[in-house]
Amino acid sequence: MTIDWLVPDERGTVAWPALPDGKKGVLTIGSFDGMHQGHQAVLRRTVELAHELKAISVAVVLDPRPAAAHAYAAAHDGADAPAGFHDPDALMPVERRLELIEALGIDRTFVVRYTMPFAKVSYVSFLGQMVGKVGMRTLVLGSDAQMGAGKQGDLKAIRNLALATGVFELEVVDDAGPGTTRIPFEWKPQMPAAPGEPADPLEGLNKAQRRTWSKKHHAHEARVWSSSNIRYMLANGRVRDVREALGRPHAVESVVVHGEQRGHTIGFPTANLGDPVHGYVPVDGVYSGWLVDFGMAQDGTDGAVADATNTASSDATDTASANAAATDAAAAPSASPNRHEDAVMVRKPVNRWPAAISVGTKETFSEATGLKERVVEAYACTKDWLELYGHDVRVEFGGFLRPQVKFAGEQELADQLAKDAEASRKAAEQDEQANQDGQE
């Protein structure tokens, strides 16, 4: 898969590359945050149609997320998010999205810097550019897609445009999956009060009871397979439900940094993730899951940079290094010119261990240390003594084990950590067995 990183000018105009050799394109567009199963269905259909039509499959990826870009602009007098902008509500960094998009077979991806001028481009103008400059002949969208200024390009409007012009066709994918659920309009992360995977609060309710719950929580309808619902579930510790929506465990990434070294002293050395953590961090608690090691982060930089090490761009000799440029696809036009990359480098794990994962503020020691920072740390369930400082790692969340509690002292904490590690080992074994059974 080839990648073009594109920055709109001050008018929102993008210098769209044409497809090679007069080829036509089957195109889809979105931020694809989380790459959940609905996104995957749309991208798979894009690839299928391209093969059928002997065309090139193209994904237009918006980064940063439009919601995050608009929120930043609203808080900063309409300014675009700057280089280095970190979006803590993003489910995954753009580099990880590209890995997963490539794995689905997309031929070419345009990563478009989402700016306020670009946001003002109408859907008619945008689609006209896709046809006239890129060579789009088929547009593939999900069943609730919207695009263009004011989100005026809904499916009805796009279908009417396709019929009126006759220059492209619209294919709508049934990506609804399990259907819809209800999410409160305003919610805050809520740590489960009891051990074990929390249940969906709507599970088992009849229609009348669901209406009552919705009224009480001022809830709105959302798709189960949606980034907003996935964030809501993660904020309530429902990582197994999230796994169903994603088709894989939710994960966060960063570089391992030195912590308080307390884990070493009690026999449970943990990998502490440094700031920024890339990916949405679930609510506080202790989780089972996995610690994935990709080796030493390149140039001592964070995980997103190491993840974005691609083959050199065609103009690498007179631009910043590919690593530095890929750190922030959302850089300002003057700092990040358009560039072309020939491939995504898919990182290969060095090791993957079952892990007990802690998210929170270390209640047992925070009063004494005065440290209230929220941290993510993972204890790898292995007999080997690991030294992972400076390593690029991914932490994958398998299941919610228990809420964070304050222990009387180090020994009580160590005893509980041993139980957490054993529970994580058993959960990993069960998952591995379930995967094997599913492949038979």
Side-chain angles (χ1 to χ4, degrees), residues 131-195:
V131 172
K133 296 185 178 181
V134 177
M136 179 186 76
R137 289 300 176 264
T138 304
L139 176 64
V140 182
L141 296 174
S143 55
D144 64 348
Q146 296 173 310
M147 67 172 65
K151 296 183 178 180
Q152 293 182 353
D154 59 15
L155 292 181
K156 180 180 179 181
I158 295 171
R159 184 176 286 109
N160 288 340
L161 181 65
L163 292 172
T165 62
V167 294
F168 74 96
E169 295 183 354
L170 173 65
E171 169 120 354
V172 179
V173 175
D174 180 6
D175 58 345
T180 61
T181 184
R182 308 287 294 185
I183 301 176
F185 272 105
E186 294 184 5
W187 53 264
K188 294 181 179 180
Q190 183 65 49
M191 181 173 66

Side-chain angles (χ1 to χ4, degrees), residues 33-37 40 91-93 96-97 99-100 197 230 233-234 237-253 278-282 287-292 294 347 352-355 357 394-400 424 427-428 430-432 434-435:
D33 185 31
M35 280 294 292
H36 55 66
Q37 296 209 57
Q40 294 170 44
L91 293 172
M92 62 173 53
R96 177 61 177 152
R97 283 179 265 162
E99 286 185 4
L100 295 171
E197 191 75 14
I230 289 169
M233 291 192 291
L234 289 171
R238 293 167 53 196
V239 294
R240 288 198 176 274
D241 287 340
V242 167
R243 186 174 181 175
E244 290 294 321
L246 295 177
R248 64 183 183 281
H250 174 66
V252 298
E253 303 182 5
H278 301 280
Y280 188 89
V281 178
Y287 299 82
S288 63
W290 297 266
L291 176 62
V292 184
F294 293 100
R347 296 171 301 166
R352 185 173 188 264
W353 305 277
I357 306 158
R394 176 182 297 150
V395 172
E396 300 176 350
F397 294 86
F400 185 86
S424 297
Q430 292 171 356
D431 284 335
E432 185 176 348
N435 288 337

